[in-house]
Amino acid sequence: MSDPEAVRGAFESWARELSPGADGWLGSTGGVTADGRLVVLARFASAEAARANSRRPEQDRWWQQTVSLIDDPSFADSADVRGYLATGSDKAGFVQVITGETTDPDRMMESVVRLSASLHPFRPELIGGTVALHDGGAFTEAVYFTSLEQARAGEQRQLPPELQGAIDRAEELTSMLSYHDLTEPWLLSPPR
């Protein structure tokens, strides 16, 4: 991507100008990684609301202008989105987006929800997260933290052995993990 600020401006413009007509839009999280990869997650109340937004002529015009700013865009839809702790937060100072695969989505989600509740007292910088489950066992997870510095400090904390063991067992349910750090996240929500 040649101009991250232009892309950010395009998404902020969408939130200002087009979001009022996007029925069911719940918010978006986005940003650019250190290696220039654009990551944007858009949340809608339902798959139908997302499809209806995509069909709007003004959405199509916006996308035709914006796509020229993005190298090789790809999309992954999900009608199965689950959250944990406080889900996400527009107050997050750092968001880590994780993509990967799992052989057992339900068991993975049970582990994520249970572990996040147990982990939170040791990692108070962890605000919450959202997991989108895709076809074929793929998933995208957005983990929201108060700040990059606090998240990195939290990673260095020694966890109780039983909690570390539970994390290790949960990680056995996933593979092909990729981490995308959004150190300056774009957090957009409908006007309240």
Side-chain angles (χ1 to χ4, degrees):
M1 178 178 32
S2 58
D3 191 346
E5 285 307 311
V7 174
R8 181 177 187 154
F11 280 91
E12 289 174 346
S13 171
W14 183 93
R16 262 189 331 274
E17 298 166 17
L18 298 182
S19 73
D23 293 336
W25 177 65
L26 302 175
S28 298
T29 298
V32 179
T33 63
D35 65 353
R37 182 180 300 260
L38 171 67
V39 178
V40 178
L41 308 170
R43 300 177 308 280
F44 283 85
S46 68
E48 179 50 42
R51 283 191 293 273
N53 177 65
S54 294
R55 291 190 296 263
R56 295 188 308 151
E58 60 271 33
Q59 173 70 23
D60 185 59
R61 282 191 298 276
W62 173 84
W63 177 246
Q64 293 307 318
Q65 293 171 347
T66 303
V67 72
S68 65
L69 302 170
I70 303 169
D71 300 328
D72 195 26
S74 64
F75 301 88
D77 292 331
S78 174
D80 189 354
V81 179
R82 308 178 196 186
Y84 55 90
L85 294 177
T87 313
S89 173
D90 283 355
K91 296 179 181 173
F94 170 57
V95 178
Q96 186 170 67
V97 178
I98 305 164
T99 58
E101 296 179 3
T102 181
T103 55
D104 193 336
D106 289 328
R107 196 163 143 227
M108 181 192 84
M109 281 309 305
E110 287 173 19
S111 293
V112 166
V113 170
R114 188 175 56 253
L115 282 172
S116 63
S118 299
L119 186 61
H120 195 256
F122 299 96
R123 300 283 307 273
E125 78 282 2
L126 172 62
I127 297 170
T130 303
V131 181
L133 300 168
H134 310 293
D135 292 338
F139 69 89
T140 303
E141 179 178 13
V143 187
Y144 296 78
F145 297 93
T146 54
S147 73
L148 173 62
E149 296 75 21
Q150 291 172 334
R152 294 301 185 232
E155 290 171 353
Q156 303 306 312
R157 287 191 195 104
Q158 185 77 22
L159 297 175
E162 64 277 4
L163 184 54
Q164 186 60 57
I167 290 171
D168 294 342
R169 286 188 298 281
E171 288 176 352
E172 292 173 1
L173 297 171
T174 62
S175 63
M176 308 292 288
L177 297 179
S178 296
Y179 297 86
H180 312 282
D181 291 349
L182 306 180
T183 58
E184 296 180 21
W186 313 338
L187 303 164
L188 307 170
S189 293
R192 306 232 184 253

